[in-house]
Amino acid sequence: MIKVLKFGGASIKNSKRIENVFSIIDKYKGQKIIIVFSAIANITNLLEDLVELYVNREAGVKNKLLEIKAIHFGILDNLFNKNDKVYEKINNIFDEIDLILDAKPHKIFSFNYDQIVSKGELLSSIILSDYLNLKKINNSLLDSRDFIKTDSKFQNAKIDWLLTKKKIKEKITNFPIVTQGFVGSDMSNNPTTLGREGSDFTAAIIANSLDVDEVIIWKDVNGVLNADPRYFDNPLLLDNISFSEAIELAFYGAKVIHPKTIQPLQQKNIPLSVRSFLNYENTGTIINSSEPKDIIPLYIVKENQVLISISDNNLSFIVEKHLSWIFSVLSKHDVSLNLMQNSAVSFSICVDNIKHKIPSLIEELSNKFTVFYNEKVELFTIRHYNSLSIERVIKNKQILLQQKSRNTVQFIVA
Ligand code: ASP
């Protein structure tokens, strides 16, 4: 029985939380486990700020680094003795960051990003590995750059599955293992990252490669809820959802599941549990191949959307020739569609409002068509809807567009 346990940033945000993570891992003592860690809470954001400052050659770079250092050394001071080896290891990583910051930035922004932001997971995994050793859970720390092999699409690297599987099988032989989520390396061994929130995906890649028996993702929520608590009162905890439903939920924007995580697990029929690191006795939500007994409405909200309506300058019909051009422009600007709808004389699309993509997209579309757009709209999706659930969503809201299929209804709300 091999299990992969994945802990996100919130679960290790301070020394108390790290002690709590130890109590969870201690329950798996003697079992074959692989533990995947994200960076400590908010560190990835701070490292992103650091990259911006560095690349733009702005003052404040060193202060930002000091801020990041203070968080890590604050945690060390609470968990270790001053002369423990871990201080030297953490100092070495910060020296590596210093060396990067002293050199001229690489011309590719994403290359700099992956060099620096990947350090967040290295720092957290060193601290956790040494802390678990101190507490007599003797583990091996493996560097994920040695086995998560990717292309060189920095910041959003694609996995080379064949090579990665081979390396994982070679490297992961004894247990427990501690390693980093989110980070890999390309064919020239440059660090790469898998996209924000990518640590869940790392857990799934390892699980698929080793055919493990279970993956558990430890979160600050009790599991997968049927509605986003920021928008809906009294959301219900789902005991069980199927792999296919989880993929749909992630696609429509449910934040608790990383979109790429489910497929590698579904392929090998490996169950995924989403559990709370605070109430760790609870079983949370299990995602597997079985369909739940009761189908209830599931509500998902995607924020910060733009609704773009495209029509012909002479109000003539929008035909295939036009659609084909519109799609080529979307693909050129690397913009994905969250919803589309066409009528005789207009074509409407709803997309994420990405700062550096949408203005140039609209500009290019405007060269051939009349384009109207609404910013700051939200996309509400209800899976397994009924009239009550629709009422719950649209009450007192201005609906700009709606679309219904057998299982799913979506509303764009101003
Ligand atoms: N640390 C990375 C992030 O914050 C990856 C992860 O946590 O999954 O996006």
Side-chain angles (χ1 to χ4, degrees):
M1 283 279 261
I2 307 179
K3 291 184 174 147
V4 178
L5 311 183
K6 186 259 159 174
F7 292 92
S11 72
I12 51 171
K13 82 168 184 201
N14 54 35
S15 51
K16 278 263 155 323
R17 290 269 169 98
I18 292 179
E19 286 166 6
N20 176 64
V21 162
F22 158 73
S23 319
I24 297 175
I25 294 173
D26 199 39
K27 301 207 179 306
Y28 295 86
K29 214 170 181 162
Q31 298 189 34
K32 292 184 171 174
I33 53 170
I34 300 151
I35 314 160
V36 177
F37 287 108
S38 300
I40 288 167
N42 202 32
I43 293 298
T44 304
N45 294 336
L46 293 174
L47 288 167
E48 283 188 344
D49 296 344
L50 185 70
V51 181
E52 289 279 345
L53 292 169
Y54 163 61
V55 169
N56 299 326
R57 296 297 193 148
E58 283 177 56
V61 178
K62 294 283 161 157
N63 275 342
K64 187 55 76 183
L65 188 62
L66 285 179
E67 190 184 335
I68 298 168
K69 269 187 178 173
I71 296 171
H72 289 89
F73 284 104
I75 289 177
L76 291 191
D77 290 346
N78 285 329
L79 296 176
F80 296 92
N81 289 320
K82 271 275 179 264
N83 44 9
D84 281 344
K85 263 247 160 62
V86 66
Y87 279 88
E88 193 186 320
K89 297 182 196 171
I90 296 299
N91 261 321
N92 286 343
I93 303 281
F94 280 113
D95 287 349
E96 286 173 24
I97 302 179
D98 256 325
L99 270 179
I100 298 171
L101 298 180
D102 287 341
K104 207 171 129 222
H106 192 280
K107 57 181 186 309
I108 302 171
F109 174 85
S110 318
F111 178 90
N112 297 301
Y113 181 102
D114 284 0
Q115 291 275 333
I116 292 175
V117 176
S118 60
K119 301 290 190 210
E121 271 68 16
L122 285 173
L123 290 163
S124 65
S125 59
I126 291 172
I127 296 176
L128 265 299
S129 169
D130 275 32
Y131 183 66
L132 293 174
N133 279 331
L134 184 78
K135 301 290 268 183
K136 306 273 176 294
I137 300 184
N138 295 324
N139 64 87
S140 319
L141 176 63
L142 277 192
D143 189 328
S144 60
R145 291 171 297 185
D146 292 339
F147 57 84
I148 300 289
K149 297 304 293 181
T150 70
D151 66 5
S152 301
K153 197 161 181 268
F154 300 107
Q155 251 185 298
N156 190 18
K158 297 281 161 305
I159 302 295
D160 179 330
W161 275 95
L162 266 183
L163 190 55
T164 298
K165 280 187 183 183
K166 181 168 165 274
K167 296 256 178 205
I168 287 178
K169 284 186 189 133
E170 269 166 30
K171 302 268 172 197
I172 303 187
T173 48
N174 59 333
F175 300 91
I177 295 281
V178 169
T179 192
Q180 306 83 27
F182 178 59
V183 177
S185 70
D186 70 2
M187 296 311 147
S188 314
N189 292 327
N190 296 307
T192 53
T193 60
L194 309 181
R196 287 301 305 260
E197 311 292 331
S199 295
D200 290 359
F201 185 35
T202 305
I205 296 166
I206 297 173
N208 177 296
S209 306
L210 292 179
D211 268 309
V212 310
D213 299 279
E214 187 184 7
V215 177
I216 306 170
I217 295 184
W218 299 90
K219 296 245 173 205
D220 54 1
V221 289
N222 283 326
V224 183
L225 303 174
N226 82 321
D228 188 330
R230 291 169 308 159
Y231 289 86
F232 298 94
D233 298 332
N234 311 319
L236 302 170
L237 179 71
L238 304 169
D239 298 328
N240 166 228
I241 45 179
S242 66
F243 288 125
S244 337
E245 188 68 45
I247 290 171
E248 297 284 349
L249 289 180
F251 171 78
Y252 289 118
K255 294 209 176 55
V256 73
I257 308 159
H258 184 273
K260 289 184 194 158
T261 305
I262 305 296
Q263 261 146 343
L265 301 177
Q266 182 178 29
Q267 196 188 53
K268 292 284 179 79
N269 200 11
I270 301 167
L272 166 66
S273 298
V274 180
R275 293 171 62 172
S276 158
F277 59 75
L278 295 170
N279 305 313
Y280 52 77
E281 303 301 345
N282 297 355
T283 49
T285 302
I286 181 148
I287 302 170
N288 58 19
S289 53
S290 57
E291 293 292 337
K293 286 189 299 293
D294 307 315
I295 305 283
I296 59 168
L298 310 176
Y299 304 83
I300 309 134
V301 187
K302 244 184 194 291
E303 295 131 334
N304 199 18
Q305 301 291 297
V306 202
L307 174 62
I308 305 176
S309 301
I310 305 156
S311 49
D312 188 77
N313 297 340
N314 309 316
L315 276 186
S316 52
F317 288 154
I318 295 281
V319 294
E320 286 70 15
K321 186 176 71 190
H322 303 129
L323 291 176
S324 149
W325 182 80
I326 293 168
F327 281 120
S328 72
V329 174
L330 283 166
S331 154
K332 179 174 149 197
H333 290 262
D334 193 24
V335 171
S336 331
L337 290 181
N338 296 329
L339 181 149
M340 60 180 162
Q341 198 169 75
N342 62 332
S343 69
V345 291
S346 85
F347 182 61
S348 300
I349 56 174
C350 178
V351 297
D352 291 347
N353 195 0
I354 303 171
K355 220 173 39 197
H356 62 275
K357 289 185 180 172
I358 302 306
S360 52
L361 170 77
I362 291 178
E363 196 184 311
E364 183 156 0
L365 291 171
S366 308
N367 288 340
K368 279 208 183 174
F369 291 99
T370 304
V371 178
F372 295 107
Y373 60 95
N374 296 72
E375 286 184 295
K376 298 210 175 84
V377 299
E378 285 157 345
L379 175 60
F380 282 73
T381 302
I382 316 174
R383 297 270 301 154
H384 317 296
Y385 60 89
N386 53 29
S387 49
L388 250 169
S389 60
I390 291 180
E391 180 56 26
R392 195 175 173 195
V393 165
I394 64 175
K395 202 169 165 199
N396 304 328
K397 295 202 182 80
Q398 190 199 345
I399 308 298
L400 302 178
L401 191 150
Q402 67 167 295
Q403 197 165 76
K404 229 182 206 179
S405 67
R406 233 177 313 164
N407 281 322
T408 309
V409 60
Q410 295 188 285
F411 298 97
I412 297 180
V413 173

